[in-house]
Amino acid sequence: MTSYEGTHRTVHVRVGSRHAQIDEQLAPTIQAIWECGFDTFTCCQDLAESNADWPEKLPHMAEWVESRRGWMLIDFPVDSGLAFLSAAANAGPRDAFYVRMTHWAAPDAWHVKIKPMDAAMFQEDQPSHFGLRLLQVSFPAHDLPELTRRLREHAAGRSVPPAPADWSTVGR
């Protein structure tokens, strides 16, 4: 089943009782994430395309939108997001991919953020109550094949023994 609603084409992904319409480029990766037992909230295969109309209403967002061209996003509950990062790191070598996902100063470094959220955003008649509910992972689209491969390795129970990483791209 394919849908053309929204910005990106989507396909229906189902793993056990989990199912959703997922942007088609991310569908195999979300399937692998769910097969690993990790939960997700949302995802997007190109943040600039999805948010292209933002600058019309929010001019201050123009630079951000342009900077996200070719970048993907997956939102997780915090615990699942941390487990996802560990799985991706342990299922492959400590190579340039690993350095991008772990160090903020690497070329094409992933953006990983834990965002405090106020419950009052969704129930405005309630007092503010902040909690850590969302871990957001944004990464360049060129990392998607390796990420999916690593998740499949993790799901199969395979990992790579720890080894030193080449940190030269971040000045270490």
Side-chain angles (χ1 to χ4, degrees):
M1 169 190 264
T2 302
S3 168
Y4 300 92
E5 295 177 24
T7 303
H8 301 118
R9 285 180 60 168
T10 63
V11 296
H12 190 254
V13 175
R14 177 182 298 276
V15 174
S17 63
R18 292 181 181 139
H19 62 94
Q21 290 297 123
I22 304 294
D23 287 358
E24 69 180 344
Q25 289 178 15
L26 278 168
T29 307
I30 296 300
Q31 180 177 348
I33 287 169
W34 291 350
E35 287 171 351
C36 290
F38 309 138
D39 294 323
T40 59
F41 288 136
T42 60
C43 64
C44 180
Q45 72 185 33
D46 190 299
L47 291 167
E49 290 174 357
S50 291
N51 299 300
D53 62 343
W54 279 18
E56 293 171 23
K57 296 178 218 164
L58 306 167
H60 68 281
M61 294 300 296
E63 185 178 333
W64 183 89
V65 169
E66 189 53 36
S67 74
R68 299 295 85 201
R69 190 164 308 287
W71 282 74
M72 299 181 157
L73 172 92
I74 305 172
D75 287 335
F76 298 88
V78 173
D79 289 346
S80 280
L82 293 172
F84 157 83
L85 291 169
S86 295
N90 287 322
R94 291 190 175 160
D95 56 5
F97 175 93
Y98 170 81
V99 172
R100 280 192 300 281
M101 71 175 284
T102 59
H103 200 288
W104 63 272
D108 285 336
W110 289 22
H111 300 177
V112 179
K113 301 173 185 170
I114 295 180
K115 297 192 170 212
M117 295 181 69
D118 185 2
M121 290 173 55
F122 308 102
Q123 295 178 322
E124 293 180 340
D125 62 335
Q126 298 296 310
S128 288
H129 180 79
F130 281 82
L132 297 177
R133 296 179 179 88
L134 174 71
L135 187 142
Q136 191 172 75
V137 180
S138 181
F139 54 92
H142 62 76
D143 277 346
L144 190 63
E146 176 63 8
L147 174 59
T148 306
R149 186 196 71 73
R150 286 177 180 229
L151 291 166
R152 289 186 176 136
E153 289 295 300
H154 175 79
R158 293 186 287 269
S159 63
V160 172
D166 176 0
W167 298 104
S168 61
T169 60
V170 297
R172 280 181 51 189

